[in-house]
Amino acid sequence: MKIISSLLLLLSACLGVYAQQAAYVPSQENLQARQQFQDNKLGVFIHWGVYSMLADGEWVMLNKRIDRDEYAQLPAGFYPSRFDADEWVRTIKDAGARYITITSRHHDGFSMFKSNASDYNIVDATPYGRDVLKELADACQRHGIKLHFYYSHLDWHRLDYPLGRHQEQLPHDPSTTDWPQYYKFMNDQLTELLTNYGPVGAIWFDGKWEHDTDPVPFDWQLDEQYALIHRLQPACLIGNNHHEVPFPGEDIQIFEQDVPGENTAGYSGENGISQLPLETCMTMNRTWGYRITDKNYKSADDIIRTLVKAAGRNGNLLINVGPRPDGCLPTEAVERLHALGEWMRQHGESIYGTRGGIIPPHDWGVTTQRGNTLYLHILNLNDDALFIPLDAKRIRQVRLFDGKSNLRYTASATGTTITLPSVPKAVDTIVEITLKN
């Protein structure tokens, strides 16, 4: 009988949490921010922290099994003398990006902002002593770029964090764990980020998956945390890179290393596509944080195609850059951002402010749409004729986006065939279709 009573109490508590989560109703400011986020289409991810000093990626502490006390000596030598927030923002804006997402605190637990919740931060623990997030926030305000903050749910540094799957690599005494204290610490820092840095476009969580293998489900108390964020800044969006379907209280669905609907990286196998704004986050080379030996950069053409494929699936692209420890963006990354900006200046009309088109993705490419204008993005076609499953009676005009020359099209019982001047060779051949009202 006692067991049954305990189970009923547990069920009641779970239902209470579910009811609280299910009650989330986004504010009008939040809904407007969601629409603007979808219109923006392109953002740049910045993974930067003391791990960049070791030049071996953002997971170096765990991967190299570095003792936490030894790792904690790194900030004493961290002095990014060439960091220039305005230069970063100008470069990113020139690339056509409309927002920046930067790691405020990654899994190593080091905060890249002034925090009263812990002195393990860039102002108090380094000789540099400057709040780079404040400088970046001010630069974003000056240049009209939205700023989003990445925040890790897990922490390899703090002993009060209850380690999950990483306990074996970074062992510590379980008696030191104190979830209520750690949870308060996180919420204190989130409050700082949302009160000291102006308007924040989004909080981008990561690390929930660290407890996915627990025998008993771990309660992250996300409902209360999400409510705190929405209370402090109602327009601030919440995304969580947990590789699951979105939870109540979240405003963005994230796809890591894949466009929505694909699962080449293995993170989206059970991740259905929701009606929330969608975002693909992707590395420009192999690692998120700076790795001195990682020269495996994607070509500018490949990045452009990924942007187009994401837009055609109704999503944004958040392309990553890992700055060097001195604060400079790698030359290879800047070159690709420049090429991306050149393409967006010519073709951004077919990307910005659009949604996935009425024709779903095909082997040849994707479509985007704004009102009665449908853009066919031809990414893979070895022919000079393109068949689309669209009734020709709905078409008012068909023309090439570049040069605006009219194209001939013919109707059939199952759709429309468009005749192109030649077999497409460009990174993205765009056909612009004006639909009848």
Side-chain angles (χ1 to χ4, degrees):
M1 195 67 183
K2 185 176 181 181
I3 295 175
I4 294 174
S5 298
S6 299
L7 288 173
L8 287 173
L9 285 172
L10 178 61
L11 177 61
S12 176
C14 290
L15 288 174
V17 170
Y18 174 77
Q20 186 176 357
Q21 290 179 326
Y24 170 62
V25 177
S27 66
Q28 190 59 41
E29 301 101 307
N30 187 281
L31 293 174
Q32 291 172 353
R34 291 183 186 188
Q35 181 170 328
Q36 183 182 28
F37 175 81
Q38 289 180 296
D39 289 344
N40 287 341
K41 283 296 178 288
L42 177 62
V44 170
F45 214 166
I46 300 288
H47 275 70
W48 193 41
V50 292
Y51 46 79
S52 65
M53 297 173 65
L54 301 180
D56 198 15
E58 75 291 349
W59 277 58
V60 60
M61 180 181 177
L62 184 85
N63 291 341
K64 299 297 185 183
R65 310 296 202 269
I66 300 175
D67 177 82
R68 59 172 49 80
D69 293 331
E70 192 65 33
Y71 188 91
Q73 305 308 310
L74 286 175
F78 189 45
Y79 199 93
S81 60
R82 300 178 68 186
F83 170 69
D84 184 328
D86 280 291
E87 183 179 354
W88 275 23
V89 175
R90 282 193 297 266
T91 299
I92 289 168
K93 185 175 182 178
D94 184 66
R98 300 280 178 88
Y99 62 97
I100 295 170
T101 302
I102 186 168
T103 50
S104 66
R105 171 176 160 276
H106 207 268
H107 308 327
D108 65 351
F110 185 78
S111 299
M112 294 293 285
F113 62 100
K114 168 63 178 174
S115 176
N116 292 325
S118 169
D119 60 7
Y120 195 53
N121 69 72
I122 192 169
V123 175
D124 296 319
T126 77
Y128 190 62
R130 286 163 49 183
D131 188 335
V132 294
L133 292 198
K134 185 67 171 68
E135 294 181 27
L136 188 61
D138 292 344
C140 284
Q141 293 255 18
R142 284 192 291 273
H143 296 282
I145 294 289
K146 286 281 188 180
L147 182 60
H148 301 181
F149 290 133
Y150 168 111
Y151 191 85
S152 173
H153 266 132
L154 70 92
D155 193 307
W156 297 326
H157 172 75
R158 290 180 64 97
L159 296 178
D160 55 359
Y161 171 70
L163 272 171
R165 66 167 76 167
H166 296 152
Q167 171 69 37
E168 183 179 343
Q169 295 99 319
L170 297 171
H172 73 263
D173 185 352
S175 67
T176 65
T177 62
D178 187 338
W179 169 251
Q181 177 177 288
Y182 179 73
Y183 185 67
K184 181 181 183 301
F185 156 74
M186 287 197 297
N187 288 340
D188 286 347
Q189 284 208 318
L190 289 167
T191 299
E192 291 174 332
L193 290 170
L194 291 162
T195 55
N196 298 334
Y197 296 86
V200 176
I203 297 293
W204 206 101
F205 286 113
D206 191 20
K208 178 188 176 295
W209 35 259
E210 207 260 338
H211 276 281
D212 285 355
T213 57
D214 287 9
V216 177
F218 187 83
D219 182 10
W220 287 95
Q221 297 178 253
L222 295 179
D223 53 325
E224 182 181 334
Q225 196 166 68
Y226 289 177
L228 169 70
I229 295 167
H230 287 136
R231 183 169 66 253
L232 291 171
Q233 290 202 29
C236 181
L237 305 177
I238 295 174
N240 197 325
N241 188 36
H242 45 49
H243 309 147
E244 301 175 64
V245 294
F247 301 159
E250 295 173 7
D251 308 297
I252 302 169
Q253 184 175 6
I254 297 165
F255 296 83
E256 182 177 353
Q257 299 285 37
D258 274 306
V259 295
E262 294 186 357
N263 188 34
T264 61
Y267 299 124
S268 304
E270 300 177 359
N271 206 2
I273 300 175
S274 73
Q275 296 303 307
L276 293 177
L278 311 177
E279 181 183 70
T280 288
C281 62
M282 187 166 287
T283 51
M284 192 177 285
N285 46 357
R286 295 283 180 84
T287 54
W288 299 96
Y290 178 67
R291 177 177 287 170
I292 197 167
T293 58
D294 185 359
K295 298 296 183 179
N296 298 296
Y297 281 83
K298 298 174 178 66
S299 69
D301 285 356
D302 283 344
I303 295 170
I304 291 167
R305 290 189 187 100
T306 300
L307 167 65
V308 170
K309 288 193 289 184
R313 288 165 172 80
N314 212 33
N316 292 9
L317 174 63
L318 183 63
I319 189 70
N320 182 75
V321 176
R324 298 198 304 253
D326 63 1
C328 286
L329 305 179
T331 302
E332 298 91 340
V334 172
E335 290 171 351
R336 282 151 180 80
L337 290 175
H338 178 73
L340 185 55
E342 287 291 311
W343 189 87
M344 287 294 275
R345 277 185 282 280
Q346 296 179 53
H347 306 98
E349 178 188 330
S350 69
I351 302 293
Y352 295 126
T354 65
R355 300 294 183 267
I358 57 173
I359 300 174
H362 280 69
D363 290 342
W364 52 262
V366 298
T367 67
T368 57
Q369 188 169 347
R370 185 190 305 102
N372 287 340
T373 304
L374 179 68
Y375 301 98
L376 312 183
H377 296 269
I378 304 172
L379 305 173
N380 179 35
L381 185 68
N382 296 316
D383 199 347
D384 62 359
L386 174 65
F387 173 81
I388 57 173
L390 181 67
D391 190 342
K393 294 178 181 177
R394 299 188 60 186
I395 296 174
R396 183 181 301 280
Q397 184 183 45
V398 179
R399 60 182 183 175
L400 282 175
F401 182 86
D402 291 329
K404 306 301 182 185
S405 58
N406 288 329
L407 297 177
R408 184 169 60 87
Y409 62 95
T410 56
S412 69
T414 54
T416 302
T417 298
I418 299 170
T419 302
L420 303 168
S422 61
V423 176
K425 299 294 185 184
V427 58
D428 175 21
T429 298
I430 305 172
V431 173
E432 180 182 320
I433 297 178
T434 304
L435 301 171
K436 295 177 181 177
N437 291 328

